[in-house]
């Protein structure tokens, strides 16, 4: 498989799918203690957590959890477990 591209300190990602309307599906890996910096969403984003533990301004997420981020909502997602976290978004 292709390696993940670097998307920030401790963050790797791989584009899995893009449709004709521009929707994308990413596989994202976040190292323990690393975080996706504060950012706003311009539309709806669904994140399905595959492994690890993540925390944001709404709470804690574990494997099997689904989180919906809506337009104009700001968040910072941190990998809060001992192991790297993986998710689909």
């Amino acid at each position: 498989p292709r390696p993940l591209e670097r998307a920030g300190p401790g963050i790797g990602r791989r584009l899995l799918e893009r449709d004709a309307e521009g929707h994308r599906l990413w596989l994202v890996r976040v190292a323990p203690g690393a975080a996706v910096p504060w950012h706003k969403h311009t539309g709806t984003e669904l994140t399905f957590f595959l492994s690890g533990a993540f925390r944001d301004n709404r709470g804690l997420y574990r494997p099997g959890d689904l989180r919906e981020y809506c337009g104009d909502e700001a968040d910072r997602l941190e990998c809060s477990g001992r192991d790297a976290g993986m998710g689909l978004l």
Side-chain angles (χ1 to χ4, degrees):
R2 297 181 325 239
L4 301 179
E5 68 181 57
R6 187 174 188 274
I11 302 169
R13 69 181 184 178
R14 180 182 308 139
L15 182 63
L16 301 177
E17 185 71 39
R18 180 188 316 230
D19 70 14
E21 296 174 5
H23 301 107
R24 295 167 294 184
L25 176 64
W26 293 94
L27 174 66
V28 177
R29 180 187 183 277
V30 182
V36 177
W38 280 101
H39 63 284
K40 277 194 167 187
H41 296 268
T42 57
T44 300
E45 177 181 291
L46 296 173
T47 302
F48 181 72
F49 299 95
L50 299 171
S51 66
F54 291 91
R55 182 176 301 283
D56 71 3
N57 51 316
R58 282 195 188 173
L60 180 67
Y61 306 95
R62 298 201 178 274
D65 288 341
L66 181 68
R67 167 74 157 87
E68 181 177 9
Y69 298 91
C70 299
D72 289 337
E73 180 180 9
D75 75 294
R76 175 184 181 272
L77 188 64
E78 178 183 353
C79 182
S80 59
R82 291 180 291 138
D83 300 318
M86 300 282 284
L88 292 171
L89 58 129

